[in-house]
C-alpha cells in the first residue's frame, strides 16, 4: 500500500509560479512512474506531466515549456514546478503513482495505482 500526500498549492496571480510536491510512503518509490493530474470543476481529470523511473518526462501540450516535473528518489518525492501560470491552470492537482509494472517481492504481486488527496491551485487574472 502506498500513500501519497501533496503539498504546496495555493493562490497566485497570473504569470506567477508555484511548486507542488508529493511524498510517497513505502519502499518502492524509485521504480514508480509518477505523474501529476489536475481536475477543474465540471471537467475530467487530465494528465499534466509524468516522470518514469529512468527520469523520462512527458507533458501535456497545455503546460509544455511552463511546467517541470522532477523526482527525488532519496526523499521519495516528486515535484511540479509551475511557471507563467494562467487562470486556466486553476484546478485540484493530484499526485499519481503507477506500480502496475513493478513486482513487489513482499506481497508476491504487481503493484497498483495510487492517488493523493489533491491540492488546490488557483490562478487569479
Amino acid at each position: 500500500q502506498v500513500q501519497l500526500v501533496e503539498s504546496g498549492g495555493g493562490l497566485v496571480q497570473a504569470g506567477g509560479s508555484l511548486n507542488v510536491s508529493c511524498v510517497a510512503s513505502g519502499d518502492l518509490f524509485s521504480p514508480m512512474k509518477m505523474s501529476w493530474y489536475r481536475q477543474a470543476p465540471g471537467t475530467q481529470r487530465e494528465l499534466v506531466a509524468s516522470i518514469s523511473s529512468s527520469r523520462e518526462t512527458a507533458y501535456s501540450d497545455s503546460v509544455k515549456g511552463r511546467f517541470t516535473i522532477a523526482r527525488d528518489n532519496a526523499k521519495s518525492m516528486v515535484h511540479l514546478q509551475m511557471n507563467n501560470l494562467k487562470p486556466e491552470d486553476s484546478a485540484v492537482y493530484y499526485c499519481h503513482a503507477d506500480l502496475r509494472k513493478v513486482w513487489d517481492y513482499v506481497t508476491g504481486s504487481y503493484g497498483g495505482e495510487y492517488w493523493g488527496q489533491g491540492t488546490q491551485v488557483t490562478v487569479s487574472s
Side-chain angles (χ1 to χ4, degrees):
Q1 188 75 10
V2 175
Q3 292 185 328
L4 303 172
V5 178
E6 300 102 333
S7 61
L11 173 65
V12 65
Q13 288 189 332
S17 298
L18 275 177
N19 187 298
V20 291
S21 299
C22 170
V23 60
S25 65
D27 299 324
L28 292 176
F29 183 79
S30 57
M32 293 183 192
K33 179 180 179 180
M34 300 299 298
S35 302
W36 285 97
Y37 285 74
R38 67 186 181 188
Q39 187 169 22
T43 69
Q44 289 189 335
R45 193 171 295 189
E46 64 170 347
L47 177 64
V48 175
S50 63
I51 184 165
S52 72
S53 58
S54 59
R55 302 181 188 270
E56 291 183 35
T57 59
Y59 299 91
S60 68
D61 288 342
S62 61
V63 307
K64 202 171 293 183
R66 300 187 297 123
F67 289 13
T68 302
I69 188 170
R71 65 189 299 154
D72 183 344
N73 287 346
K75 296 181 179 180
S76 297
M77 294 187 72
V78 61
H79 307 282
L80 184 68
Q81 176 66 40
M82 304 181 288
N83 297 327
N84 190 21
L85 283 160
K86 304 175 181 180
E88 51 264 42
D89 294 318
S90 297
V92 178
Y93 282 70
Y94 296 93
C95 181
H96 175 263
D98 187 349
L99 286 89
R100 289 174 294 173
K101 296 182 180 179
V102 180
W103 182 257
D104 187 337
Y105 288 93
V106 174
T107 63
S109 64
Y110 286 98
E113 296 181 87
Y114 301 90
W115 294 91
Q117 82 287 354
T119 185
Q120 177 71 46
V121 171
T122 303
V123 184
S124 63
S125 58

